[in-house]
Each structure stands twice: as C-alpha cells, then as structure tokens.
Amino acid sequence: QVQLVESGGGLVQAGGSLRLSCAASGRTIDIYTMGWFRQAPGQEREFVARITWIGGSTRYADSVLGRFTISRDNAKNALYLQMNSLRPEDAAVYFCAATRRIISTTPRDYDYWGQGTQVTVSS
C-alpha cells in the first residue's frame, strides 16, 4: 500500500501562483508513475500532469501546458505541482495519485489516491 497526502492548496488571485505538494509513504518502491488530477464541482476528474517515478518523463494536459510544472524528489518521496498564471477555470480539488503498473493519464489506471487539496482562483 501507498499513502498519499496533498498540501499547498488555497485561495489565489487570477494570474497568481501556487505550489502543491504530495507526500508519499508506505511501499513507495512500487510506484511507477505519479500524477495530478483535478475535479471541479459537477465535473469528472480530469488529468493535469504525470511523471514517471524513475525516469522523470512528464506529460501535461493541453490546458495547463506552459503554466504548470510537475516534479518529484525521489529521496523525499515527494511530488510537486508548480502552478503559475492561474485562471479561474483552474479552480478545483487537486488530487495526487500513483500507479504501480503503467504510464497513464487515465484516472482508472491509478491505484492510490490522496484526499485532495482545494485550489480556488478569484477573478
């Protein structure tokens, strides 16, 4: 089992920045890929960014490309999401997730999830 705990959410004005963190514990040796997803009220959970745990290969949703940066610190078992130039449409609950088996942008492929952290962007 892997446990994930997000932090760093909050309220920010449009154009501002936030940095989300995710602390992983447990059998982190099993992690293959980690990702960030988000879910706004009444909407499905959507992919934001993912990174492979060993190689550091990244991929982003088109909506955040050039504004968000995903990174990880293997020594600290930590995942990060630097969010710049935030827009009102970025407001959502952001979830950290991990998969043991695959490189994926699909939520159902992820085995472990955090509880989420709220990001609110005021216009």
Side-chain angles (χ1 to χ4, degrees):
Q1 291 286 337
V2 174
Q3 293 79 43
L4 303 172
V5 179
E6 303 96 335
S7 61
L11 171 64
V12 64
Q13 287 189 332
S17 298
L18 280 175
R19 188 191 193 210
L20 304 183
S21 299
C22 174
S25 61
R27 285 190 59 84
T28 57
I29 194 173
D30 290 343
I31 295 174
Y32 193 85
T33 302
M34 293 195 73
W36 288 99
F37 295 81
R38 66 187 183 187
Q39 188 167 19
Q43 297 187 17
E44 293 187 354
R45 192 166 298 188
E46 67 172 1
F47 167 73
V48 175
R50 64 97 176 130
I51 187 167
T52 56
W53 198 238
I54 301 300
S57 171
T58 60
R59 183 171 178 179
Y60 297 89
D62 289 344
S63 59
V64 307
L65 189 63
R67 300 187 298 123
F68 292 10
T69 302
I70 188 171
S71 62
R72 88 274 191 245
D73 185 330
N74 298 69
K76 296 182 178 179
N77 287 327
L79 179 72
Y80 305 101
L81 186 68
Q82 178 67 44
M83 304 186 295
N84 299 328
S85 302
L86 281 160
R87 305 167 179 169
E89 55 264 38
D90 293 319
V93 176
Y94 282 70
F95 297 90
C96 167
T99 175
R100 296 170 297 176
R101 303 163 285 122
I102 196 171
I103 300 174
S104 174
T105 61
T106 303
R108 65 173 179 270
D109 289 333
Y110 283 73
D111 305 297
Y112 308 105
W113 291 85
Q115 293 299 307
T117 185
Q118 178 72 50
V119 171
T120 304
V121 184
S122 63
S123 56

